[in-house]
Amino acid sequence: MVRPAAPIPAGPRSVRLVDWLLAAGTAVAVLAGTVRLGGRLDLAGAVPLALWLSLLLLVRFRWPLAVLLLSVQAVIVFRSSGLTDAGWVWPASAAYATLAADDRPGRPGLGWAAGVGLMELALAATWESTSGGATPREVLASLGTEALWLAVLLAAAAAYRNHFRWRAELDERLLRAAREGELEAGRRIAEARLEIARELHDVVGHTLTVVGIQLRVAAESLDDSPSEARAALTTAQQVRSEAVRDLRALVHVLRAPGEAPDDPAAGVPQVEPLVDRMRSAELDIRLETSGDLAAVPAPVSLAVHRIVQEALTNTVRHARASRADVSIRCGRGRVEVDVTDDGRTPPAAASSGSGHGIRGMEERVRALGGVFSAGPDGKGGAGGGWVVRATIPVPRFHP
């Protein structure tokens, strides 16, 4: 995690104003503190020290360590030469706080500030006990307050720095969460678009294929068998109505996500009517089922229906087959689907080009954690036939 820099005002004008105000405040505080502690206030001692300490603060953000070292050096020189007699640590409080709050990479300001402060206190204790002639009790009384002030000052600067570090980390986490949310939203939109494309492909493709079959039957039997033509047209009308129902359900989901559509979705129980509609004089379709079809969970049931629908649609369109076998087996924690034909032209020949049938079926099965395959059967006619096979696991499903 990137460590944030010490809090610095936004623009150059703000920085300049803050530094000048802090410099002026430091000058006043040094002079007032000297008077309050009974020290000498003269033009050769406290006044130039106050001016020097305040002027250094104008570059505190650029060189915080150098400002602190020069400030401490000035205090030591003025105190050891007798030019001033009040304070060791507190005159350089602003310089200590600036360095302690600096948390830029490669600049451990708090450690440097604590180290410089302890070194200054040790040097002050040595000077007062030797050159100053103070007793140990007087040294402890004089520097104890200074040490306590240094500890409070560094603690406050560290808390100030940690607050801004926490704010920076919080902003970073919020930004990361927003980006992840955008990526997740994009992924869901892509998945929704893919699902819609699959549904439209299956519904429209199947409807046009079945309606085309029934219209051809009606046209061929119109003169010889009007009743058969009427039945074919009725079947075509039913297929059209079911397609409209499916499209309305899809539009309902798009308009009101999360709400159940009024019409029931296609599923395994509707496979038998589907096979009946697609059966014709040119194509004999046989359906074999086992297990409790009504107990199959809705997502798997819809996938099975769409797989059978798309496989038979490809058989009618491209395979030139005379027979197709559909097998659906439910049990032992899975649903198995096989659609086999004896066609001479593989159905995938068209789907591998501009169509999306085989790929759509595979995506459905894999989305449910299943296994899908489509290829030559090896048992059909000259082209070897074609088989579509899917196995979809259903945990805790044992009808």
Side-chain angles (χ1 to χ4, degrees):
M1 182 174 297
V2 179
R3 300 174 63 191
I8 300 177
R13 186 173 301 175
S14 299
V15 172
R16 184 182 183 91
L17 178 60
V18 170
D19 288 343
W20 276 107
L21 291 176
L22 187 58
T26 297
V28 173
V30 171
L31 296 178
T34 301
V35 174
R36 181 68 178 82
L37 296 175
R40 300 191 312 274
L41 187 62
D42 51 39
L43 296 178
V47 174
L49 176 62
L51 292 177
W52 175 249
L53 295 178
S54 62
L55 290 176
L56 285 175
L57 294 177
L58 297 179
V59 292
R60 63 194 180 98
F61 276 124
R62 183 171 298 180
W63 300 293
L65 179 58
V67 168
L68 177 60
L69 292 176
L70 290 175
S71 299
V72 169
Q73 182 183 22
V75 172
I76 293 174
V77 169
F78 274 75
R79 282 301 303 269
S80 60
S81 61
L83 296 177
T84 183
D85 52 2
W88 287 91
V89 172
W90 66 264
S93 295
Y96 274 110
T98 298
L99 182 60
D102 187 11
D103 197 32
R104 284 170 284 185
R107 305 174 71 170
L110 182 61
W112 277 101
V116 172
L118 293 176
M119 191 166 54
E120 183 182 13
L121 289 173
L123 197 151
T126 301
W127 185 87
E128 288 195 0
S129 61
T130 55
S131 301
T135 63
R137 181 182 296 273
E138 293 173 340
V139 172
L140 181 61
S142 174
L143 298 182
T145 304
E146 298 262 11
L148 181 60
W149 171 252
L150 177 63
V152 172
L153 188 67
L154 296 182
Y160 180 75
R161 178 202 62 189
N162 292 337
H163 169 73
F164 277 88
R165 177 193 295 180
W166 172 79
R167 288 291 301 273
E169 292 176 353
L170 179 61
D171 292 342
E172 183 180 355
R173 287 197 298 269
L174 293 176
L175 180 60
R176 187 185 305 116
R179 290 175 178 173
E180 292 176 354
E182 292 177 357
L183 293 177
E184 179 65 17
R187 184 185 65 81
R188 291 182 179 180
I189 291 174
E191 291 179 352
R193 292 177 61 185
L194 180 61
E195 181 66 21
I196 294 170
R198 284 200 298 257
E199 290 294 327
L200 289 176
H201 175 275
D202 293 345
V203 172
V204 175
H206 166 72
T207 302
L208 293 178
T209 299
V210 175
V211 169
I213 293 174
Q214 300 303 325
L215 290 179
R216 185 177 63 203
V217 171
E220 294 175 352
S221 58
L222 184 61
D223 296 329
D224 301 333
S225 178
S227 60
E228 184 178 352
R230 187 179 300 107
L233 292 175
T234 301
T235 301
Q237 180 66 22
Q238 292 175 351
V239 173
R240 185 205 68 83
S241 299
E242 292 180 1
V244 171
R245 181 202 64 189
D246 291 341
L247 291 176
R248 284 178 178 174
L250 181 60
V251 171
H252 180 89
V253 172
L254 293 177
R255 289 180 175 175
E259 297 183 11
D262 297 332
D263 297 324
V268 175
Q270 286 74 41
V271 170
E272 185 173 356
L274 168 69
V275 171
D276 292 338
R277 290 193 303 267
M278 300 196 70
R279 189 180 288 118
S280 64
E282 292 82 7
L283 178 63
D284 179 27
I285 305 176
R286 299 183 182 181
L287 174 64
E288 178 185 353
T289 62
S290 63
D292 187 2
L293 302 184
V296 178
V300 178
S301 181
L302 175 61
V304 171
H305 184 278
R306 294 306 189 202
I307 290 170
V308 175
Q309 183 185 66
E310 179 62 26
L312 292 179
T313 300
N314 285 344
T315 297
V316 172
R317 281 182 173 180
H318 312 296
R320 291 184 291 173
S322 61
R323 175 176 172 174
D325 295 313
V326 179
S327 173
I328 303 175
R329 298 177 297 277
C330 307
R332 294 178 296 178
R334 64 179 181 269
V335 177
E336 299 177 349
V337 183
D338 289 332
V339 181
T340 308
D341 64 55
D342 61 353
R344 294 179 297 277
T345 302
S351 297
S352 61
S354 59
H356 303 280
I358 298 294
R359 185 171 60 186
M361 288 187 286
E362 184 177 8
E363 289 173 349
R364 285 183 183 276
V365 174
R366 290 189 176 180
L368 295 171
V371 179
F372 176 84
S373 63
D377 184 23
K379 300 179 181 179
W386 193 262
V387 59
V388 173
R389 179 172 291 112
T391 300
I392 304 175
V394 184
R396 299 181 298 277
F397 173 58
H398 302 280

